[in-house]
Amino acid sequence: MSGPSTYTPKSGIEKWIDQRLPLPRLMHDTMQTFPTPRNLNIWYTFGGILTFCLAIQIVTGVVLAMHYVANAGLAFDSVESIMRDVNYGWLIRYMHANGASMFFLAVYIHMFRGLYYGSYKAPRELIWIIGVLIYLLMMATAFFGYVLPWGQMSFWGATVITNLFSAIPVIGTHIATWLWGDFAVGDATLNRFFSLHYLLPFIIAAVVGLHIWALHVPGNNNPLGIDVKTPQDTVPFHPYYTVKDAFYLVLFVILFAVFVFYAPNFFGNPDNYQPANPLVTPPDIVPEWYLLPFYAMLRSIPNKLMGVIVMGGAIVTLVFIPWLDTSRVRSCSFRPMMKQFFWAFAVVCVLLGYCGSQPVDAAIAGVPLVWVARLATLYYFGFFWLIMPIIGLIETPKKLPASIAQSVLGASAAPAE
Amino acid sequence: MAATTSDAGTRRDFLYVASGAIGAVGVAGIAWPFIDQMNPSSAALAAGTTEIDISAIQPGQQIVYKFRGHPLFVRRRTPAEIAESKAVPVASLPDPLARNANLPDSAPADDASRATKPEWLILIGVCTHLGCTPTVSTPAIPEGDYGGWLCHCHGSQYDVAGRIRKGPAPQNLAVPVYSFLSDTRIKVG
């Protein structure tokens, strides 16, 4: 997509197509000859893994929609019928349900990798922001999908999340009613959530296209965080990274398969095998694991509107990271101070997730978890809005290598061919 | 060519602005049906009223009914609970308003404004935080510190008049429109 094309049609047919719709040329330039830094490590394979996850979710989802009934009276039973009656329905549904968790596992690794190696810094700000948008769309899609089995957690999760909008002053309750299509979560809500759950993955696919397009303008960042300077710093995407991506994809699929076949309900909540009951809230409402850190933030704030603002702010903050990081050096490998704050941030995110998974009045060693969550929330925001800008100014980075080639090949890297 | 250099505007400028303006109005007009279709239909709006026989409810007991898709709490309070509720100064409450659909919006959250007949407390069982159903407190199984309800989702605590006392919920539990048809029958809605 950037730089001159090196594609030369080999046959008459390819030439004919190239003059009318240069799709083979696009594929050739982006997936074959595309110059890629030669030092990408395992953490750079998750982009490909994520594309795979999206494909799996779309394929299994389209199949599930052939058997699912979006009706409050029938939805639960139709899901059970998929599990018991539909040929291989259990497999396809477990792939879809665990696929969502795998998708989020991969996206979190992908995001933390971007954060560690400074992949959001100029000229890659838009790649990062489009990525945040994809993450947001993923959360919306996952939420809509979780409602569809119409179990207790589906129903009450939908109730709590849609009620977040009622915190907005004046128009909040009208927005909630508008989302429900009724005075409470019900049949109308289920139908529209199904419609949106089917739509959004295709929107995500389109936005992923933009993400990759934006990536192919400056090209990949790399673990050193320094720019590609000479052709020696790169290798063609194929076969070097097609093989690397494929190898780690296989390992990832093994992990995926372990969950699907040996622990298919590991990420699930037993309460969701009870049909939705609008009169009884389960004793402990817990969202899916990938939303727990944000849920912990929401619960730790004793004011409804502020809680919603903080939770939303935690995601909106991500958009500003490219400008909050004042350092001239991208990769944390060369940032001794930032590296420590980064790992503390990673621990805090896990800690927030733990707090969100526990009952609201839980305590650890006598300390109420709500206070742990408050401090963790403080660090979450402090990390981005204070630590990032300040450390970038006061930190002395380590010396950067002269080039990617020299770092990888050592002294044997001749400056010229 | 000389005619097109005039500042007065050409026929093309006019057509451009006119069709743009009509187009904008048309898009705005057709957008509304697509937004409004999400709102409750007239069938959902016609939820109507519910009549309930409350004769079987014992003092200290709560029974949950369904009203407009929501849980409806009907609690028969004991004299001790009523006395406890009356003793709470309104000024000390997080939400000082009655939130009683039978009274003006400005009515204070004293016990008499929460329950017109002190023995009968009738509430929409929807936590004003994020919509969970709070769990009722009984002497045997206390829920929260105020003898009323505890919402297990995010820890909001309500007292024996359904008033928010602690936690993230911003308002007292709502009192719906209701009336006593007889001593043992109420009409809600």
Side-chain angles (χ1 to χ4, degrees):
Chain A
M1 293 185 200
S2 60
S5 174
T6 57
Y7 177 72
T8 40
K10 288 178 202 71
S11 63
I13 291 175
E14 284 176 89
K15 201 169 174 182
W16 187 89
I17 294 173
D18 188 51
Q19 286 166 347
R20 286 158 180 82
L21 177 71
L23 189 61
R25 177 182 295 275
L26 181 74
M27 297 317 237
H28 175 88
D29 292 344
T30 56
M31 289 166 64
Q32 202 160 346
T33 58
F34 188 70
T36 315
R38 67 192 311 156
N39 58 338
L40 300 190
N41 57 25
I42 169 176
W43 308 112
Y44 283 78
T45 62
F46 280 87
I49 287 171
L50 283 161
T51 316
F52 170 82
C53 287
L54 179 61
I56 287 287
Q57 291 306 89
I58 289 178
V59 170
T60 54
V62 167
V63 171
L64 289 171
M66 295 175 185
H67 304 282
Y68 172 77
V69 186
N71 174 294
L74 302 170
F76 188 89
D77 289 344
S78 79
V79 171
E80 283 310 301
S81 139
I82 289 170
M83 295 300 290
R84 293 154 195 248
D85 304 339
V86 175
N87 297 333
Y88 291 103
W90 59 272
L91 175 66
I92 293 159
R93 175 161 179 264
Y94 277 152
M95 283 172 72
H96 196 73
N98 287 282
S101 281
M102 291 295 116
F103 206 158
F104 275 94
L105 176 69
V107 89
Y108 281 132
I109 294 173
H110 192 66
M111 289 165 76
F112 274 97
R113 186 272 292 157
L115 213 50
Y116 186 84
Y117 293 125
S119 303
Y120 47 82
K121 291 177 78 69
R124 298 184 180 83
E125 301 95 322
L126 269 182
I127 309 175
W128 175 263
I129 291 169
I130 292 169
V132 174
L133 180 64
I134 295 171
Y135 175 52
L136 209 60
L137 286 167
M138 279 174 64
M139 289 197 286
T141 311
F143 162 67
F144 290 139
Y146 195 58
V147 175
L148 302 185
W150 211 238
Q152 273 290 66
M153 277 296 156
S154 299
F155 182 89
W156 290 101
T159 298
V160 167
I161 299 291
T162 48
N163 263 305
L164 293 177
F165 292 91
S166 71
I168 301 167
V170 187
I171 55 166
T173 47
H174 297 284
I175 293 177
T177 306
W178 180 72
L179 289 171
W180 295 330
D182 207 331
F183 296 107
V185 172
D187 198 36
T189 325
L190 177 61
N191 262 286
R192 63 191 55 180
F193 281 12
F194 180 55
S195 169
L196 294 171
H197 184 69
Y198 203 108
L199 166 73
L200 285 186
F202 298 99
I203 306 270
I204 292 177
V207 182
V208 166
L210 296 180
H211 194 62
I212 297 173
W213 186 3
L215 171 71
H216 279 78
V217 176
N220 291 76
N221 184 31
N222 63 83
L224 297 173
I226 55 176
D227 289 329
V228 166
K229 295 184 184 97
T230 63
Q232 253 211 327
D233 291 341
T234 66
V235 287
F237 188 78
H238 179 75
Y240 292 95
Y241 286 112
T242 43
V243 167
K244 189 168 183 128
D245 280 358
F247 176 73
Y248 286 108
L249 177 60
V250 168
L251 296 188
F252 186 81
V253 170
I254 291 172
L255 177 71
F256 186 3
V258 166
F259 282 113
V260 168
F261 292 107
Y262 295 99
N265 288 304
F266 178 79
F267 296 109
N269 190 308
D271 277 332
N272 221 29
Y273 282 102
Q274 283 190 315
N277 181 352
L279 297 187
V280 180
T281 308
D284 286 306
I285 293 206
V286 189
E288 290 278 82
W289 68 268
Y290 39 81
L291 302 176
L292 285 174
F294 302 109
Y295 187 66
M297 291 183 194
L298 172 77
R299 282 204 313 196
S300 71
I301 310 289
N303 173 290
K304 182 173 171 177
L305 180 59
M306 279 311 293
V308 174
I309 289 174
V310 165
M311 190 171 74
I315 296 162
V316 172
T317 292
L318 302 177
V319 171
F320 298 100
I321 291 176
W323 296 277
L324 290 173
D325 186 352
T326 52
S327 174
R328 284 171 297 110
V329 173
R330 291 198 188 101
S331 172
C332 277
S333 302
F334 301 99
R335 303 185 59 190
M337 288 171 81
M338 193 59 191
K339 188 190 256 181
Q340 294 174 34
F341 285 108
F342 169 86
W343 286 114
F345 175 74
V347 170
V348 160
C349 287
V350 174
L351 186 66
L352 275 171
Y354 172 76
C355 292
S357 73
Q358 297 301 304
V360 67
D361 48 2
I364 184 165
V367 183
L369 271 187
V370 65
W371 278 103
V372 177
R374 277 173 194 163
L375 289 175
T377 305
L378 205 61
Y379 185 83
Y380 182 99
F381 284 93
F383 176 74
F384 291 119
W385 291 98
L386 285 176
I387 294 172
M388 233 180 203
I390 293 171
I391 294 295
L393 297 175
I394 63 171
E395 178 183 52
T396 312
K398 290 195 221 162
K399 192 175 177 300
L400 293 171
S403 74
I404 294 171
Q406 199 192 57
S407 166
V408 174
L409 305 172
S412 68
E417 285 288 297
Chain B
M1 288 296 118
T4 57
T5 58
S6 155
D7 287 342
T10 61
R11 284 190 344 145
R12 184 176 291 115
D13 290 337
F14 171 76
L15 288 174
Y16 179 72
V17 172
S19 50
I22 288 294
V25 170
V27 167
I30 204 66
W32 177 245
F34 283 87
I35 294 168
D36 193 41
Q37 52 84 20
M38 299 256 295
N39 276 315
S41 66
S42 43
L45 287 170
T49 58
T50 307
E51 285 189 24
I52 298 169
D53 180 358
I54 55 174
S55 58
I57 305 175
Q58 299 301 309
Q61 189 186 23
Q62 165 186 282
I63 291 195
V64 180
Y65 300 91
K66 197 171 175 183
F67 171 64
R68 292 185 183 169
H70 289 303
L72 179 81
F73 294 163
V74 180
R75 178 160 172 173
R76 188 169 181 184
R77 301 190 295 175
T78 62
E81 287 172 343
I82 296 166
E84 182 193 334
S85 173
K86 283 189 190 299
V88 178
V90 171
S92 72
L93 295 167
D95 178 15
L97 295 177
R99 309 287 171 190
N100 185 333
N102 306 284
L103 298 174
D105 286 349
S106 58
D110 55 60
D111 190 71
S113 303
R114 296 285 296 164
T116 23
K117 283 192 181 184
E119 195 176 15
W120 295 101
L121 183 62
I122 294 148
L123 301 169
I124 302 282
V126 175
C127 181
T128 57
H129 182 225
L130 294 175
C132 295
T133 303
T135 312
V136 69
S137 180
T138 61
I141 309 170
E143 298 279 357
D145 303 332
Y146 300 93
W149 289 265
L150 168 67
C151 182
H152 281 270
C153 287
H154 310 97
S156 293
Q157 299 188 17
Y158 298 90
D159 67 11
V160 280
R163 297 174 295 202
I164 180 67
R165 299 296 289 273
K166 192 179 170 189
Q171 292 181 9
N172 302 325
L173 291 177
V175 180
V177 173
Y178 68 90
S179 55
F180 279 87
L181 302 174
S182 70
D183 279 349
T184 58
R185 243 186 131 64
I186 56 168
K187 187 175 94 171
V188 184

